[in-house]
Amino acid sequence: MPAHSLRLRTGTLPRYRPPEPDDASTGIPVCRLYYKPMVNEAFIPAVLSLGTLALALGVIIYFVSRKFHVAEDPMVTIINGVLPGVNCGACGYPSCNQFAEELVRTRDTSMTCPVGGSDLAAKLGDSLGIEMAEPKPVVCAVLCQGSDNVAKPSAEYVGIQDCWAATQAFAGPKLCRHSCIGLGSCIAWCDFNAMRIENGLIVIDSDLCTGCGACIPACPTGVLVMQDKKADRIFIACNSHDRGADTKRACDAGCIACQKCVKECPEQAIVIEDFVARIIQEKCTSCGKCIEVCPTKVNCIVRLNDTVKSKQAS
Amino acid sequence: MKTFTVGGIHPPEHKLTASKAIEAMPIPAEIAVSMNQHLGKPAKPVVKVGDEVKKGQLIGEADGFISANVHAGTSGKVKAVKSAPHPGGNYSMTVIITTDGKDEWLEGCNTPAIDPTSLSKEEILRKIKDAGVVGMGGAGFPTSVKLSPPKDKPVDTIILNGAECEPFLTADHRLMLESPEGIVKGLLIITSLFEGKAKPFIGVESNKPDAVLALQKAAAGKGIEIVTLETKYPQGAEKQLINAITGRTIEEGQLPFDKGCLVQNIGTALAVYEAVCLNRPLVERIVTVSGMEIKSAKNIKAVIGTRFSDIAAFAGSMSEKTNQVITGGPMMGRSQFTLDVPVTKTTSGILFINNTMLTGSRERTCIRCGKCTSGCPQSLEPWLLATEAEFRRLDDAETYGLMNCTECGSCSYQCPSGRELVHWIKYAKALRNNRRQRKTA
Ligand code: SF4
Ligand code: SF4
Ligand code: SF4
Ligand code: SF4
């Protein structure tokens, strides 16, 4: 059967049995002869050899796994069931499973999963019979308000639509080189669907953001930072380290380092670092006095819920 | 005719300015001298606002071993020291000088020619370093560092790069025609540093027969071999030039020293001669101003720090249709985001073009035609690297030779699908470097 075996290998095996051809009318009796013996003869050795091989390997695997069996702590399975299972790495371990193993082994109460928050900490504590520390809820915030109608453009960018790719060509499509480039390199890193681009600016949904921090190293300009998750938390949404005049030229929402907020703050919670104001979170009481004095056209001092929530609603 | 063995392409030459003699550009009212005109650490500004400076005065001091001095290109007053746009695509610390039109040299600069043989090797190297000479072909590697290779890597071949394989550019071509003696003298100074153990070559592409003749005349009887190379892109890339002239191949991770070679640009040789014999720091260079959208394309001698906007005005303004301004050649150059950027030591050309690709179709999928692979002078598979980059498989990209890519752009030029191959490769390199930095931090 040399001719048959050739066709088999190219995968032209018929999947259905054609009606019996009328030998007398066509005069070609080949078809019937062709199918039948091929199925029988070609399959038997293949099924036998591969089947035997599979069986032999199966037996070997069975004994090997018996011999090298490692008893897994049933606790790890339980903890794994409680953890979110997204493997985001926010806890400092590469996967949820490794976090679970480490937790069960050390019973370290200071280990926290920022994604699960305090609910999860309680559940973990219950399962292990210990008191787990509560993670401080944090959320990702954007130190830039340079959306398309606020930040001045520098040049049109037509290359690969990715922030890192854009930085290979120039400082970015906005005149301010410290701004959010707005091509969304960070979005792919967010496991929780919390990021999107609106008007050329990244927007974070604070309800969905778990504070895992996976997006932060993905940003070439470093406008993503962690903030305590408090609705009235105040921060300065600007990343421009250029001098005031340059910042003003580039963006309506840029901190011009005028010091007004520094002088106004009753708690001395604001400092100017490298031409941009920063609020010291521990000192700030969220009184909001600084917001009133900031002279920029689009106020660069914002409350967390103003940036993150309102944009989500719009 | 000699050429490199692997890959290569033949883009249209567009040498519009090949027959235009170099014109000295009048000094503009303001120049912006960047502190970052070389590879390595930017120079440290040593002048303050309000200081009077003379032409050739040191205004930026080399900061570290791989760094270079920067000098004022003309006399005037320092207006500002601030971060300003840089043709590399970003911003850099820049000394802005309001010129006074007198163009006075600092005392001790621009002296009558002295005999280089009267100087010791160390003196020559120190003079080159003080004058801030860097590779003028594009990379801007500090020349004094390049001329002091490690002791265990003997150099036996010195190559001057006069290939100028990029379309449009004619700066080196004009220099070879107009100052062949200076180039030859510079090459002889460089050769003298290797105590007769190294043989000097000058490689010129075959589309510049007049330059070959001029150099042959100037170099007669001086032991320099002028090699005519096939006109093929990227003939002037360091690795390809070495391969064409000596037949040696620089492997991944190797430097030319590892194969006993040293490559310098034509312009660098002239700068070496001027620095050593005439005490002239590197303050001006030849720039090709060309492209279809500029009224009078020409070769100019511009003071380093001259802004592109002034140059565009000098060359008769650009047309309305200009949608891309490139520094360097069209293959490896960079698109600019503003005309406020200044000429630096490595600006070989400024091109004003109407790039229809910019307004036209987007990138399509790879059809595996293999054109990029056949054009790649580094034996890479650009389509594969680009695909790995697109899916952020950086480790895989690295195994396929990501870091061996010289970013010559042959692949992108060839691709019928409009794939942004070099851009993907640069993207992968950027991500890889970011990841490394974070790991070590
Ligand atoms: S936050 Fe950073 S990574 Fe995200 S879109 Fe803006 S620049 Fe790009
Ligand atoms: S008042 Fe506004 S612009 Fe002025 S320093 Fe404070 S945040 Fe910046
Ligand atoms: S840019 Fe890189 S991959 Fe493309 S042809 Fe040149 S060396 Fe090869
Ligand atoms: S030239 Fe373009 S289409 Fe052809 S193989 Fe390379 S990437 Fe694919």
Side-chain angles (χ1 to χ4, degrees), chain B residues 38 43-44 46 55-65 67-72 105-106 108-109 119 121-134 142-145 147-148 271-272 274-283 345:
Chain B
H38 45 262
K44 265 203 315 265
V46 292
K55 183 174 188 172
Q57 183 175 335
L58 185 75
I59 54 174
E61 200 173 36
D63 186 13
F65 179 58
S67 184
N69 286 345
V70 178
H71 303 81
W105 279 98
L106 187 75
C109 286
L119 299 168
K121 194 177 150 183
E122 286 69 33
E123 274 173 315
I124 291 178
L125 279 176
R126 203 204 47 187
K127 278 188 129 175
I128 294 175
K129 182 168 192 294
D130 288 350
V133 181
V134 305
T143 302
S144 58
V145 181
L147 290 180
S148 345
V272 164
E274 292 185 343
V276 173
C277 298
L278 307 178
N279 290 313
R280 258 195 235 167
L282 180 52
V283 292
K345 291 175 186 173

Side-chain angles (χ1 to χ4, degrees), chain A residues 201-285:
Chain A
L201 182 69
I202 193 76
V203 174
I204 296 169
D205 187 326
S206 63
D207 289 339
L208 293 177
C209 172
T210 59
C212 72
C215 56
I216 286 177
C219 174
T221 52
V223 296
L224 301 174
V225 288
M226 280 303 159
Q227 298 278 349
D228 289 348
K229 191 171 183 170
K230 279 201 303 189
D232 60 352
R233 162 103 243 104
I234 289 181
F235 66 100
I236 284 137
C238 179
N239 188 41
S240 171
H241 298 291
D242 285 337
R243 287 158 202 240
D246 293 339
T247 306
K248 198 169 182 183
R249 192 154 12 94
C251 178
D252 286 346
C255 170
I256 53 174
C258 66
Q259 306 260 8
K260 282 207 173 121
C261 54
V262 177
K263 291 186 197 121
E264 187 69 18
C265 181
E267 310 290 329
Q268 277 85 48
I270 309 184
V271 288
I272 303 264
E273 274 169 12
D274 202 7
F275 301 105
V276 60
R278 283 272 164 269
I279 293 184
I280 304 166
Q281 299 201 1
E282 295 73 40
K283 290 194 191 166
C284 174
T285 57

Side-chain angles (χ1 to χ4, degrees), chain A residues 115-163:
Chain A
V115 176
S118 43
D119 291 353
L120 179 72
K123 273 193 215 153
L124 290 178
D126 285 350
S127 312
L128 289 165
I130 50 176
E131 189 78 16
M132 293 295 290
E134 284 207 0
K136 204 169 64 175
V138 286
V139 70
C140 185
V142 187
L143 296 187
C144 179
Q145 301 187 78
S147 56
D148 284 343
N149 32 17
V150 173
K152 308 274 181 305
S154 71
E156 193 192 353
Y157 173 65
V158 288
I160 297 166
Q161 295 297 305
D162 180 287
C163 303

Side-chain angles (χ1 to χ4, degrees), chain A residues 62-86:
Chain A
Y62 175 73
F63 281 107
V64 169
S65 77
R66 281 292 290 268
K67 179 121 192 4
F68 295 99
H69 180 70
V70 182
E72 191 183 67
D73 193 331
M75 205 44 155
V76 174
T77 325
I78 296 172
I79 301 289
N80 256 327
V82 182
L83 291 174
V86 287

Side-chain angles (χ1 to χ4, degrees), chain A residues 156-196:
Chain A
E156 193 192 353
Y157 173 65
V158 288
I160 297 166
Q161 295 297 305
D162 180 287
C163 303
W164 284 95
T167 60
Q168 291 312 292
F170 64 147
K174 291 168 191 163
L175 208 48
C176 171
R177 65 196 151 121
H178 310 281
S179 68
C180 166
I181 293 169
L183 295 173
S185 285
C186 47
I187 295 181
W189 295 90
C190 182
D191 283 332
F192 305 95
N193 233 340
M195 309 182 101
R196 64 182 184 279

Side-chain angles (χ1 to χ4, degrees), chain B residues 322-343:
Chain B
T322 315
N323 63 2
Q324 201 176 19
V325 176
I326 301 178
T327 47
M331 301 296 291
M332 289 186 76
R334 266 177 176 280
S335 295
Q336 297 303 310
F337 63 100
T338 163
L339 288 187
D340 282 345
V341 292
V343 167

